Amino acid sequence: EKQGFKHYMLKEIYEQPGVVRTCLEDYLRADWDGDSPFSPVQLPLDPSLLENLQHIQIVACGTSWHAGLVGKYLLEQVAQIPTSVQYASEFRYAPPPLLPNTLTIGVTQSGETADTLAALEMELKRRQGLEGALQPRLLGITNRPESSLGHLVPHIIDTRAGIEIGVAATKTFVAQLMAFYLLTLELAWQRQSCDRPRLAELVTGLRQLPAQMEQILESQERYIEALSHDFAETQDFIFLGRGINFPIALEGALKLKEISYIHAEGYPAGEMKHGPIALLDAKVPVVTIAMPGSVFEKVLSNAQEARARDARLIGVTPLDEAEAQHTFDNLLPVPEVDELLSPILTVMPLQLLAYHIAARRGLDVDQPRNLAKSVTVE
Ligand code: M6R
């Protein structure tokens, strides 16, 4: 069943390029180019679900909440729709005031998370029976359309990731990100919030992702496995990112915590100097996501500030060794890519790092202590 892989988690990390490929085949029109008079996206959604939206609210937990944060960035920056992301466990006890023309999106890989289901149920109830623009519009993003979520919510994007066995979510996360890319492109198309050449650039970039993901797996796994030996005694890690890669810093930290039991924190790199930098010394590795784009120079200077405190800096970046020598001690190279699409690539070295550190420590990677694949209790 593990097809030669030592753990399901590693197998599922390797399945990611295939999952992205399937998503693209199923939901992106192969016959679309920049001049086509139709949308590049073909999601099986009732058009009324997305009409005249003024606001989107996303509810989720854990890794799915991180996918929601990337979704917010895309929906706001590309589709120009104000979007909020809430922990389902908080939303259900402090729901925000009702706004008109709102789409509520529940994101969950298991489709069974109690808090997420309860938050969605509550949203459905409090909007049912209300007039016009306040009526419920609910969408689920999941790889388990047959789950409780599928029964509760009338519209589902099946992320095509299939069943995931490792408790640490990997391929389901990448598939949730794909759902947000596709939804954003569809909304951007409908609302004309993004010009044609830019839309075409994003579509082309999406189509290139599976090969770039394969390249990361081929070129990096051995190196990351060897690097993980250096962290046999490490007790704390910091992950930094900015912009669309800030949620990936959070996700890298969560993966490491879950399976290696090492204390790890993710921060937006610009926040370091407001407190967390006090934690740094030679014993705390700092993994920094530095991708060319709107915040590239800023992240590099944040990384240099951390390095000046003797921290070991590990860069997830396309910079080569010569370019990176003043900033990073180790490189986890990823291909240069459109900044907006980069989370799909930058998360992979972080998954591999967490995996190899935990495997090296001899831990039960697929069944970490205290955790379950579906969190069906509050
Ligand atoms: O099934 P869900 O996506 O709703 O699960 C939410 C979290 O419990 C889940 O993402 C958890 O954080 C994972 N173990 C992360 O790897």
Side-chain angles (χ1 to χ4, degrees):
E1 280 246 336
K2 290 187 203 146
Q3 292 164 5
F5 290 97
K6 198 166 168 214
H7 295 98
Y8 282 108
M9 181 179 173
L10 192 58
K11 172 175 174 270
E12 287 157 358
I13 289 173
Y14 271 81
E15 282 170 0
Q16 294 180 119
V19 168
V20 170
R21 213 168 257 133
T22 307
C23 256
L24 294 174
E25 276 164 14
D26 290 357
Y27 298 135
L28 207 56
R29 293 185 63 147
D31 55 349
W32 190 87
D33 63 34
D35 300 323
S36 303
F38 46 81
S39 167
V41 178
Q42 44 182 10
L43 287 169
L45 298 177
D46 186 325
S48 65
L49 189 71
L50 305 182
E51 268 163 21
N52 303 322
L53 289 180
Q54 288 176 323
H55 171 228
I56 296 179
Q57 54 188 12
I58 300 171
V59 293
C61 305
T63 287
S64 298
W65 184 77
H66 297 157
L69 291 178
V70 175
K72 171 188 160 77
Y73 193 100
L74 295 168
L75 291 163
E76 291 193 332
Q77 303 305 317
V78 183
Q80 298 291 318
I81 306 175
T83 302
S84 60
V85 189
Q86 319 259 2
Y87 287 117
S89 56
E90 293 294 322
F91 183 98
R92 59 185 291 197
Y93 294 109
L98 292 173
L99 288 172
N101 295 315
T102 295
L103 174 68
T104 303
I105 306 180
V107 190
T108 163
Q109 57 80 30
S110 63
E112 303 296 343
T113 297
D115 281 321
T116 305
L117 294 174
L120 293 170
E121 227 171 300
M122 194 194 67
E123 193 59 10
L124 197 61
K125 282 215 185 91
R126 70 176 184 144
R127 284 180 184 265
Q128 262 162 2
L130 293 174
E131 292 298 309
L134 287 174
Q135 279 183 356
R137 296 203 234 178
L138 260 62
L139 169 67
I141 294 181
T142 187
N143 45 303
R144 306 290 300 271
E146 74 292 356
S147 64
S148 303
L149 177 83
H151 292 290
L152 178 68
V153 172
H155 305 276
I156 291 283
I157 299 178
D158 174 355
T159 67
R160 299 289 197 256
I163 292 188
E164 187 176 66
I165 294 176
V167 165
T170 54
K171 66 171 178 171
T172 55
F173 173 69
V174 158
Q176 290 167 351
L177 296 187
M178 286 305 294
F180 278 115
Y181 283 109
L182 294 159
L183 184 64
T184 299
L185 289 187
E186 176 61 29
L187 284 163
W189 168 267
Q190 288 184 15
R191 302 162 74 96
Q192 302 184 347
S193 60
C194 177
D195 61 37
R196 284 291 187 108
R198 180 69 183 125
L199 209 57
E201 235 169 56
L202 290 170
V203 168
T204 306
L206 282 172
R207 290 186 176 133
Q208 288 166 349
L209 285 174
Q212 292 168 327
M213 296 168 83
E214 274 156 3
Q215 189 187 331
I216 292 176
L217 292 171
E218 277 159 27
S219 63
Q220 279 204 54
E221 216 217 315
R222 286 246 175 101
Y223 175 71
I224 293 178
E225 183 177 9
L227 185 68
S228 71
H229 293 201
D230 292 2
F231 306 118
E233 306 298 328
T234 304
Q235 291 182 350
D236 305 278
F237 261 87
I238 302 280
F239 290 77
L240 301 180
R242 282 181 90 135
I244 199 163
N245 276 300
F246 163 53
I248 303 305
L250 295 179
E251 175 60 6
L254 180 63
K255 285 292 88 92
L256 190 65
K257 283 184 253 209
E258 277 192 290
I259 60 171
S260 74
Y261 318 141
I262 295 175
H263 169 240
E265 301 284 348
Y267 288 107
E271 274 295 299
M272 279 306 278
K273 59 170 75 66
H274 300 287
I277 201 162
L279 295 170
L280 298 185
D281 61 24
K283 293 197 292 264
V284 183
V286 178
V287 181
T288 303
I289 305 164
M291 296 301 286
S294 57
V295 286
F296 189 40
E297 298 300 330
K298 299 285 167 199
V299 177
L300 292 177
S301 88
N302 297 142
Q304 281 156 5
E305 285 156 18
R307 205 184 193 199
R309 273 73 187 183
D310 290 335
R312 174 165 174 180
L313 262 287
I314 300 161
V316 177
T317 179
L319 292 179
D320 66 26
E321 274 180 28
E323 293 164 326
Q325 60 176 331
H326 299 299
T327 315
F328 295 117
D329 300 288
N330 298 97
L331 294 179
L332 306 181
V334 287
E336 189 162 350
V337 67
D338 194 304
E339 184 184 26
L340 282 185
L341 305 177
S342 65
I344 298 261
L345 301 184
T346 54
V347 74
M348 295 182 71
L350 304 188
Q351 294 167 340
L352 287 169
L353 186 67
Y355 171 78
H356 281 296
I357 291 176
R360 166 100 190 130
R361 291 185 177 207
L363 297 169
D364 187 348
V365 173
D366 288 331
Q367 296 279 331
R369 70 187 182 199
N370 310 338
L371 293 174
K373 189 64 186 158
S374 300
V375 183
T376 54
V377 291
E378 188 175 338

